[in-house]
């Protein structure tokens, strides 16, 4: 069964605790937390202090997507704040293997993320060490962008790479996921769907989450 990870990037930050409870009761599997530094991506969001505060309101799995340069600098802060998984971009660190080891050593799950134009060859060597690969289906930085259709065959190729190696690695997709695009990525092998504007923009959040799972 595919897991749904609503992104709080599209939540109303003035009511963050309520917004997280809303997705919890609506059947979300994970909380997707988009951390942006204004350097790796042209936008800013929040950091570990906010994660620490929202840790008090839910037991849901915290999936932290670090869109920051040199993510290794923040790993222990996110662990202390209550992160369950940290996902770093292959484009953002010079020492990806060391960074993944650091995340694992802190007792968290580890993932790597790829921008749309980054080749799957960049994850070939790290694949045996990670729990998840995140394929961006938009250019990172903002919610509410349109899904890049050419990412569907990329999901399928990653699925094949994982199968060929006999590995257990989740494939997450992030950006432009809604009831129309979800079936395409699921058919290609995605196992975790991030959705921000589709879930938080819905009148009926439970129905929106269910529509992604169907
Ligand atoms: C984009 C973020 C996404 C974003 C997705 O940089 O990584 O997680 O919240 O938003 P939607 O689902 O609206 O495309
Ligand atoms: Zn994200």
């Amino acid at each position: 069964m595919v897991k749904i990870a609503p992104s709080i990037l599209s939540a109303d930050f003035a009511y963050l605790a309520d917004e997280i409870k809303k997705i919890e009761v609506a059947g979300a599997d994970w909380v997707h937390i988009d951390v942006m530094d204004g350097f790796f991506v042209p936008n800013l969001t929040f950091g570990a202090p906010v994660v620490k505060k929202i840790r008090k309101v839910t037991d849901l799995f915290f999936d932290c997507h670090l869109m920051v340069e040199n993510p290794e600098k923040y790993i222990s802060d996110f662990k202390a704040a209550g992160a369950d998984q940290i996902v770093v971009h292959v484009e953002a660190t010079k020492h990806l293997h060391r960074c993944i080891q650091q995340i694992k050593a802190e007792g968290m799950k580890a993932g790597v993320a790829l921008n749309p134009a980054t080749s799957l060859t960049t994850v070939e060597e790290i694949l045996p060490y990670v729990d998840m690969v995140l394929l961006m289906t938009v250019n990172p930085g903002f919610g509410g962008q349109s899904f890049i259709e050419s990412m569907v065959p990329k999901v399928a190729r990653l699925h094949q790479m994982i199968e060929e190696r006999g590995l257990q690695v989740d494939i997450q997709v992030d950006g432009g996921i809604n009831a129309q695009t979800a079936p395409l990525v699921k058919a290609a092998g995605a196992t975790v769907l991030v959705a921000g504007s589709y879930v938080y923009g819905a009148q009926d959040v439970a129905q929106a989450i269910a529509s992604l799972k169907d």
Side-chain angles (χ1 to χ4, degrees), residues 67 71 74-75 81 91 109 117 122 153 163 177 184 197 200 206 209:
M67 286 161 275
Y74 309 102
I75 289 162
E91 305 90 352
K109 295 212 171 212
T122 60
E163 293 276 294
I177 300 299
L184 308 175
S197 52
Y200 275 106
I209 291 174

Side-chain angles (χ1 to χ4, degrees), residues 7 9-10 32 34 36 65 67 136 138 140-145 174-177 194-197:
S7 165
L9 184 62
S10 294
H32 185 79
D34 285 309
M36 303 185 187
H65 177 195
M67 286 161 275
M136 290 305 304
V138 298
F142 305 93
Q145 303 180 83
D174 185 5
I177 300 299
V194 175
S197 52

Side-chain angles (χ1 to χ4, degrees), residues 166-198:
L167 299 169
Q168 289 290 329
V169 178
D170 268 315
I171 301 177
Q172 185 177 57
V173 287
D174 185 5
I177 300 299
N178 56 37
Q180 282 71 50
T181 55
L184 308 175
V185 287
K186 284 191 288 183
T191 55
V192 188
L193 312 189
V194 175
S197 52
Y198 178 67

